[in-house]
Amino acid sequence: MKNYKYKILIMAFMVATSSCTTEDLEPTLAQSKSVEQSVTKVDNLNSILKGIHSLMSGSGYYGRDVIVYNEVRSDNTFSIGNSGRFTTESQFLYNENSGFIWDNAYEVIANTNIIISADLENLEGDTDYGRHIQGQAMTIRALAHFDLLREYGQQHTGSGNLGVPVITEYKGEDLFPSRNTIDEVKLAIYNDLETAFGMMDSQYDNTNVIVSKYVAKALEARVAVYFGDWPRAVTASEAVINSDMYSIIPASSYVSSWAADGGPNVMFEIAATQTDNAGINGLAYMYQVNDDGSGYGDVVARPEVLNIYEDSDVRLNILDAEGEFIRNVGKYPDNVNFTSNIPLFRYEEVILNYAEALLETGGDALTQLNKIPANRGASLYSAATKENILLERRRELIFEGFRFDDMLRTGMAMEAIGTTGIVVEVINYPSHLFAWPIPLSEMNANSNMVQNDGY
């Protein structure tokens, strides 16, 4: 049964972000000092947690932008500007007026801090369940900090070591936080994930539309691969694999699995229902155009994408090359009722993370790598190389927002693509364009904030 997302019930828990005059300006990251917390039961924490998941599903976060922006800046796709969307990002022309996910991610973090700081001993209800919820919130806080770090951090700019502010208190004393270093943010993420995993109990995990215990390890593996912390990536991946809770979706079910909720390979996905979805502002409308002309279809695949698949590979069936453009019609397919859930953590990514980490640490990477093509109707690899692993990641994770980070962490150049598909500029690695600018609203409100170079 599909679980419905919930809106946050207590509006006083939301971050104070609005401003009218210069004197009234409050930093985006500030938490109101006058807020009186109304949490009295463990069930209140659960309601806030569901509200956090709803915040994550918005089009300004995982409901669209995080995924699309990291696709149109890669060699997978570009924007034709059918509705005027994503051309700026596809051409790397963004500036400090681009807000992107900054406000949304910090709003999520603020609400996780309400849950994490709650004194369970003074709440009515099951204390063990309360600890599990706090672990879930801590996992989401780590994810949000990682999202902010990979988008705004200076790790791929060639200058500086600034990450983003690490916010761990809802009513903290520092209302004008400075940026932590990249290493400090990474350490905070790892600490959260290690603590969260120990706090959560799988007996409380009964749905994949809410963060669960082993998502913490899947995220730890993802972060470790991003930063090249290979032994950690091996250990975190093995924790997921050894849980025996997940499996690779077979070739016969691959395409249909995207039209269904859950599945043995889905660890965590954003829920969408007929009454609660991003609608025309969601992923399906950005990728597709229906026969009746509905759908914006701004984001199309680059022609060379067809060449990365063999004819026998079932993943070709998520592509439609019949018209003028090559489109994603298989992932997030419901462009009528908008009920396609959005998987954020799939077991296949864990296997690919494991394969790459084994390659870097001298383990049997080939066996793990070949588990994916063996379930896709594709030829097996004769050798596990960095090139082959990145190719298989591209084949498997296309349209899901991974490729841009894979290109960055391996030092690849990027191509800015115009609306006709022509390369307008080659951007060599590193570049200031590989970090988003801190939003102007934040710069104006927080005197301790430092802008990224080039903006």
Side-chain angles (χ1 to χ4, degrees):
M1 177 181 293
K2 173 115 39 174
N3 284 47
Y4 286 79
K5 295 172 289 176
Y6 292 77
K7 300 298 182 184
I8 288 182
L9 302 179
I10 307 170
M11 294 306 293
F13 288 154
M14 307 302 286
V15 181
T17 57
S18 61
S19 59
C20 297
T21 66
T22 303
E23 291 75 21
D24 292 332
L25 278 174
E26 297 181 52
T28 303
L29 308 186
Q31 286 88 42
S32 173
K33 308 298 286 185
S34 62
V35 170
E36 293 292 336
Q37 296 191 22
S38 302
V39 175
T40 60
K41 304 176 182 179
V42 169
D43 283 348
N44 296 151
L45 300 182
N46 190 41
S47 295
I48 298 171
L49 182 71
K50 291 175 179 177
I52 291 168
H53 284 75
S54 186
L55 288 172
M56 294 171 65
S57 73
S59 60
Y61 204 175
Y62 275 110
R64 186 189 67 193
D65 287 355
V66 168
I67 293 172
V68 170
Y69 286 171
N70 282 2
E71 285 294 316
V72 298
R73 292 185 292 168
S74 77
D75 55 4
N76 280 343
T77 72
F78 67 99
S79 175
I80 60 174
N82 196 40
S83 70
R85 290 170 168 83
F86 312 121
T87 58
T88 297
E89 295 75 27
S90 186
Q91 298 178 55
F92 290 82
L93 296 175
Y94 37 77
N95 55 45
E96 61 185 2
N97 291 310
S98 304
F100 193 33
I101 67 164
W102 184 273
D103 290 354
N104 295 314
Y106 276 115
E107 188 173 15
V108 164
I109 289 169
N111 283 278
T112 63
N113 287 336
I114 296 171
I115 296 175
I116 294 166
S117 65
D119 184 355
L120 296 178
E121 298 301 323
N122 292 324
L123 300 184
E124 297 178 24
D126 185 342
T127 301
D128 289 339
Y129 182 43
R131 279 177 52 81
H132 179 77
I133 295 172
Q134 287 184 324
Q136 291 172 297
M138 201 168 290
T139 302
I140 295 173
R141 183 171 74 180
L143 175 60
H145 276 128
F146 178 54
D147 290 336
L148 288 161
L149 178 60
R150 64 194 178 99
E151 302 297 350
Y152 295 94
Q154 296 177 343
Q155 56 269 20
H156 302 296
T157 65
S159 62
N161 68 340
L162 294 180
V164 294
V166 174
I167 306 299
T168 58
E169 294 181 280
Y170 179 70
K171 297 174 71 175
E173 295 298 323
D174 187 3
L175 296 183
F176 300 89
S178 301
R179 297 174 68 174
N180 291 86
T181 67
I182 295 166
D183 285 342
E184 287 170 344
V185 183
K186 183 175 72 168
L187 179 61
I189 292 168
Y190 283 150
N191 286 342
D192 268 358
L193 292 174
E194 290 172 357
T195 303
F197 186 75
M199 295 177 71
M200 288 186 280
D201 188 332
S202 291
Q203 70 169 315
Y204 297 114
D205 294 330
N206 55 18
T207 175
N208 52 22
V209 297
I210 298 291
V211 164
S212 57
K213 182 179 178 72
Y214 283 94
V215 171
K217 286 300 176 184
L219 175 55
E220 185 179 345
R222 180 184 293 181
V223 176
V225 167
Y226 180 88
F227 283 107
D229 297 329
W230 302 114
R232 181 185 284 269
V234 169
T235 302
S237 298
E238 288 178 344
V240 177
I241 294 167
N242 293 336
S243 74
D244 293 324
M245 296 175 65
Y246 310 99
S247 60
I248 298 170
I249 204 80
S252 60
S253 305
Y254 176 77
V255 175
S256 62
S257 71
W258 288 96
D261 298 342
N265 65 326
V266 176
M267 301 183 66
F268 172 48
E269 61 185 357
I270 297 294
T273 71
Q274 285 189 324
T275 57
D276 192 359
N277 59 71
I280 63 173
N281 291 312
L283 283 172
Y285 233 66
M286 301 306 137
Y287 279 125
Q288 302 169 32
V289 175
N290 290 334
D291 292 339
D292 64 1
S294 61
Y296 295 135
D298 292 82
V299 182
V300 301
R302 296 174 66 169
E304 56 267 32
V305 162
L306 290 177
N307 299 327
I308 69 175
Y309 297 104
E310 299 170 278
D311 290 343
S312 60
D313 195 321
V314 296
R315 291 170 293 197
L316 264 179
N317 295 324
I318 67 170
L319 298 169
D320 180 6
E322 294 297 321
E324 181 181 0
F325 300 106
I326 304 166
R327 298 191 180 280
N328 163 32
V329 294
K331 294 185 178 181
Y332 332 113
D334 187 354
N335 195 22
V336 177
N337 296 311
F338 313 111
T339 59
S340 296
N341 287 357
I342 303 172
L344 302 188
F345 287 86
R346 292 197 292 126
Y347 187 62
E348 289 85 351
E349 182 212 347
V350 175
I351 295 299
L352 289 167
N353 287 341
Y354 189 39
E356 189 171 356
L358 289 174
L359 175 71
E360 297 287 349
T361 56
D364 183 8
L366 183 60
T367 296
Q368 299 302 320
L369 173 61
N370 276 331
K371 288 181 178 180
I372 305 300
N375 285 280
R376 298 294 179 262
S379 298
L380 302 185
Y381 293 94
S382 59
T385 64
K386 196 75 165 182
E387 181 181 9
N388 285 342
I389 290 172
L390 290 172
L391 173 60
E392 194 58 31
R393 287 180 65 90
R394 188 181 183 189
R395 288 170 169 170
E396 180 66 22
L397 304 175
I398 190 171
F399 305 127
E400 298 178 58
F402 288 92
R403 181 62 176 172
F404 183 68
D405 288 333
D406 283 352
M407 295 177 71
L408 286 184
R409 66 184 179 83
T410 54
M412 297 186 196
M414 302 290 177
E415 294 178 337
I417 306 294
T419 56
T420 61
I422 302 299
V423 176
V424 296
E425 182 183 2
V426 175
I427 305 168
N428 292 319
Y429 183 94
S431 170
H432 79 277
L433 292 170
F434 298 156
W436 282 83
I438 305 300
L440 182 60
S441 58
E442 184 66 35
M443 295 300 302
N444 288 340
N446 185 352
S447 59
N448 291 327
M449 190 58 61
V450 175
Q451 182 59 276
N452 282 326
D453 291 343
Y455 300 105

